[in-house]
Amino acid sequence: MPSTNKKKIINDPVWGFIAIKNEECFDLIEHPYFQRLRRIKQLGLTHLVYPGALHTRFHHSLGAMHLMGQALEVIKAKGTHISEEESLAACLAILLHDLGHGPFSHALETTIVSGVSHEELTDLFLAELSHEFKGLELALRMFRDEYPRQFFSSLIAGQLDMDRLDYLRRDSFFTGVSEGQVGSERLIKMLNVQDDTLVVDEKGLLSVEHFLSARRIMYWQVYLHKTVLAAESLLINILRRAQYLAAQGAQLFATPHFFRFLRKQYSLADFLDDPTLLHSFARIDDFDVFSSIKAWTEHEDRILSSLSRYLVDRKLFRIYQSSQPFEKEFIDNFSHTVER
Amino acid sequence: MPSTNKKKIINDPVWGFIAIKNEECFDLIEHPYFQRLRRIKQLGLTHLVYPGALHTRFHHSLGAMHLMGQALEVIKAKGTHISEEESLAACLAILLHDLGHGPFSHALETTIVSGVSHEELTDLFLAELSHEFKGLELALRMFRDEYPRQFFSSLIAGQLDMDRLDYLRRDSFFTGVSEGQVGSERLIKMLNVQDDTLVVDEKGLLSVEHFLSARRIMYWQVYLHKTVLAAESLLINILRRAQYLAAQGAQLFATPHFFRFLRKQYSLADFLDDPTLLHSFARIDDFDVFSSIKAWTEHEDRILSSLSRYLVDRKLFRIYQSSQPFEKEFIDNFSHTVER
Amino acid sequence: MPSTNKKKIINDPVWGFIAIKNEECFDLIEHPYFQRLRRIKQLGLTHLVYPGALHTRFHHSLGAMHLMGQALEVIKAKGTHISEEESLAACLAILLHDLGHGPFSHALETTIVSGVSHEELTDLFLAELSHEFKGLELALRMFRDEYPRQFFSSLIAGQLDMDRLDYLRRDSFFTGVSEGQVGSERLIKMLNVQDDTLVVDEKGLLSVEHFLSARRIMYWQVYLHKTVLAAESLLINILRRAQYLAAQGAQLFATPHFFRFLRKQYSLADFLDDPTLLHSFARIDDFDVFSSIKAWTEHEDRILSSLSRYLVDRKLFRIYQSSQPFEKEFIDNFSHTVER
Amino acid sequence: MPSTNKKKIINDPVWGFIAIKNEECFDLIEHPYFQRLRRIKQLGLTHLVYPGALHTRFHHSLGAMHLMGQALEVIKAKGTHISEEESLAACLAILLHDLGHGPFSHALETTIVSGVSHEELTDLFLAELSHEFKGLELALRMFRDEYPRQFFSSLIAGQLDMDRLDYLRRDSFFTGVSEGQVGSERLIKMLNVQDDTLVVDEKGLLSVEHFLSARRIMYWQVYLHKTVLAAESLLINILRRAQYLAAQGAQLFATPHFFRFLRKQYSLADFLDDPTLLHSFARIDDFDVFSSIKAWTEHEDRILSSLSRYLVDRKLFRIYQSSQPFEKEFIDNFSHTVER
């Protein structure tokens, strides 16, 4: 029995209410590829420092779609014509921009699928979805910056795109780092289009400056927080060890699709050759990685089990900063401690 | 190398900053039993309806500790003596109140550990921790309502306890259901103690009434939201089917500790007999359950795989409400659809 | 040199940004009759208890216009046709709904212009403005509930009108009584029209209930706060004494137009006979009343000067509440104190 | 009958609740000199651009006192000893820091009491109050930067004083310019004292930078907003014309104490010679100035009445900015318009 009562308004503590304005967007959001983003946290392991930072790429993508709708309205109200078709394509494109992200993106990108960037993966997903969804073609052209009216691409991926305007605000909201709150609403009101190029009205100059300052705060206080980096480094090393053991043929608990990526490294060519690879990738998310790590806390390989336990119980590496090279004694001291 | 630079202030988007004021609380928070609460969502599957509702029992417990500190200060300022030791015990007790919760509490309570309540499990954890942490004894007495100064128990678990004042506000915050926002700060300022009993100052009457109204909103719009209930019902049925298959000896992917609870039902007596049971329980959380369900989407048992896929891809049961019994034809219609 | 760069977006800490969407509304807002509302506080003397409550009927009227725009959009999106002309009229009508308010409304209504209600005064203003502004005629019909499509009148003045949805939220915001915050956005999303009658969607039931609870909070904690009532009672008695002295021919400092209303009482018939009366009324606001009272603190009439000083220096009456009649001794005690 | 039930908690939409913690502060707040600040808007005529900006120096001073309390607690918790007496003095000093402000400060300072700065006037008030309030002496020393523990003066008037941390946040709140919101709470948590000098913890560096960025936003978007400057310039010219006419002996409606300052210019020496001057100054506020201007809209001097009408009806000067000198024709064009 098909759903007819499609829920079209979603509560968002950041923007209030997000309305899904057309069927195409609704259907795309319902697709398993998009629903998967519900299980990929926007900020990876940041919640180990900021416990509220559990929001997902699903929620962020909806927020970016919401802002896209507002930006297009502002631009239209200032006299630039935008067709129904273009509106829809822009909304689809921004919805889809994060589709290629894997669990704990950064860690995965350098270990699990080290040969393929998340942009390339997004492209693979879009190519597949375009068979199912007509109307996606224009979205794809905007996404790949191949559409002549260049401002659409700028709204999707540019210096002041809807992606950033959502995630900076959302990350500030969920971490509680209120100083990083960018004035997205005001910036959007200042957007304009000149010769199909996205510009900011002159009186928005200061807002742009303040946006850069808030963004810098977010980088130093959140994205590059030393404890967050320590946790990510730990995660990467856990995955490397697991890959090493898998390559050796060791027994290793892992969810089936995840194991595929532990055992072997794949290139973009592999993905193009074997479509089931993308399907496997589409089945893995934060849950696979973390529940496997949890199981590894009891693995017989002492390195794997120790590192895994450190992450699960939040015994993170500590970072020492120094403007001078560390003295030998200082380093030796650590080596001895570790050896014991 | 022991951590000496203990981080004692935590960003909380709900209350601003939460300060951890003493070493005992800090050490308890560091304990793996408490860290595990980072992986148990406060609201189970509610995020399928309200995508922001991913906050955890870890965050909630810290928030409740924060409010406890404020409540004790208010009460002291109004003339009731509270000793250092009592203060500490009250903070420990509120920190620990949720320790016994398992993943997706309600579903678990009626399926996986159906014989043991989460309060009993909390008690088991507290008993074990009391060997490691001295000073926990008074906390335990307050927790079990055995301490003569009764208002401490009321602050931990009563009609207007710090648990509720945090979770109602926090749930309202993360769901974005702003109407459910209770005036916790004002209510706390109205608290008082008379003959060791917790009371509310007369001028707080209206605030209490409004609290009840906001709470009712939260029940109807969030806790008892029909789609949330549908998702929980789905989850319970998935687990029941998995237990059924496990009992039959079927192959079933599951993280090891989780599998223990799938294969067999345990009673409180079992937990008391075999301490490793509690240790297994302490290793399972939302990740184990959900990553197993994800693997089951490809299980050969068609019932298990279908139900699992419904949950993972968010194809939820629909609820039809009627003040009249449904007509046979209406029901038959569904049966036929399902049969096909 | 006429203003061509009409500023069309106004910052509002309550609703974010208020856009003035058409020229007619802009011109009306620029009119001295509307600008006068800048000098009439929404909550009279409430700021003596809640120091933030200095917001004006000007700001409130803009906010109500903003909500009207949103309500009309919601209703249109649900399928009710609304013409451009009706939209404009509804916005004009809600903008104008408070035009007849004098300074410290309640005090004035029972003393200074005791014979004419603020609704009648609003009507007089609208009648005059309708000569200057064409298009106001339909607004007038809506305002007077004479337009057949009844829901417009309900949006302007009904149980859930835009007036209330703005002022309750605004009063909550500026007083800081956060419990009184009504969920105006959600309520507006729940509005609908059936047979030209304003209705609320069924799932908005709880929101309406919560709205009533929040409103009750505002009544008890703000509008009927005993210290606010004490201040208003003081103000009324000051004005009565001033009128009494003016009637006796005493010298009395007052701004010229204000003095006209001190010296003599006017009826609606007087206003209709002599148009200059309305013009005088249009020149008085909170500033006239309060600066006169400040001058009266040094008046030779001891009653007038004492009462005035009480108000200016915030030495307010105290209210004693009792469920029993006060005993004679209690009252005598006060009489003696006052006599001395 | 003396007030015994002193209200000690004040609702503040900016900081939540402000507690008045001791009797001395309470009594000072009750004093007519302090109550007068209720009638002096923090931002003068800014509300003509940002209609919410009606908050007063009274409210701001309470907010600054609130932050002072928090800052002292933070500093104490980090190990600097602060005596009860010092705490009290610091709170009194910050409460009093704005006492010398007249209505529409900037306009007054350059016209009405052009010979005396608001700091000198504050000093005069403090000197007088110190007869009534013992304990004010230490506050005075801190205020005048004569107390050896220099950080107290820095908290009262320095680069990161409680004055700024309150007014920037408060002005941002009431104008609705949310980008100007400084992270006052976090900055206060980063304060520390080294050798009796106020410092900021190293990890607060970025917060300081962001504070400066937010402050710059406030300057450009609020304090130096061209329409606000136009309104202030208009006000100054009205007052100059009124002084000119008063000096000529023209009839001029004005509240009595205000008239004293229109008729004649006073120097600091005059204030020291004749104590009634300070008392007169203490009786004038925004109400006197604005209600007089309202009366002047009908004055027979055409310049005074025109300018006054412009302000009252908000027909403000327009500002033309150019990086080149304006051409003669452009200017002549205006001259002709004005002449007509």
Side-chain angles (χ1 to χ4, degrees), chain A residues 33 36 42-43 47 64 70 97 108 123 134 149 215 222 224 244 269 289 299 331:
Chain A
Y33 285 176
R36 163 183 170 269
Q42 180 75 15
L43 291 183
H47 66 95
Q70 295 194 330
H97 79 285
L108 261 193
D123 251 34
K134 51 189 174 187
R149 302 191 75 187
R215 188 173 157 228
V222 180
L224 303 178
Y244 168 83
V289 176
H299 197 273
I331 295 170

Side-chain angles (χ1 to χ4, degrees), chain A residues 83 85-87 89-90 93 135-143 147:
Chain A
S83 72
E85 202 201 346
E86 288 173 323
S87 262
L136 214 61
E137 199 212 352
L138 182 53
L140 261 164
R141 288 173 65 202
M142 289 177 177
F143 189 80
Y147 188 59

Side-chain angles (χ1 to χ4, degrees), chain A residues 74-90:
Chain A
V74 165
I75 289 168
K76 271 195 273 190
K78 290 184 184 172
T80 299
H81 178 73
I82 293 174
S83 72
E84 279 289 305
E85 202 201 346
E86 288 173 323
S87 262
L88 172 60

Side-chain angles (χ1 to χ4, degrees), chain A residues 171-188:
Chain A
D171 296 345
S172 156
F173 182 88
F174 282 103
T175 54
V177 177
S178 57
E179 289 167 306
Q181 188 182 315
V182 302
S184 305
E185 298 98 326
R186 191 161 198 276
L187 277 167
I188 286 176

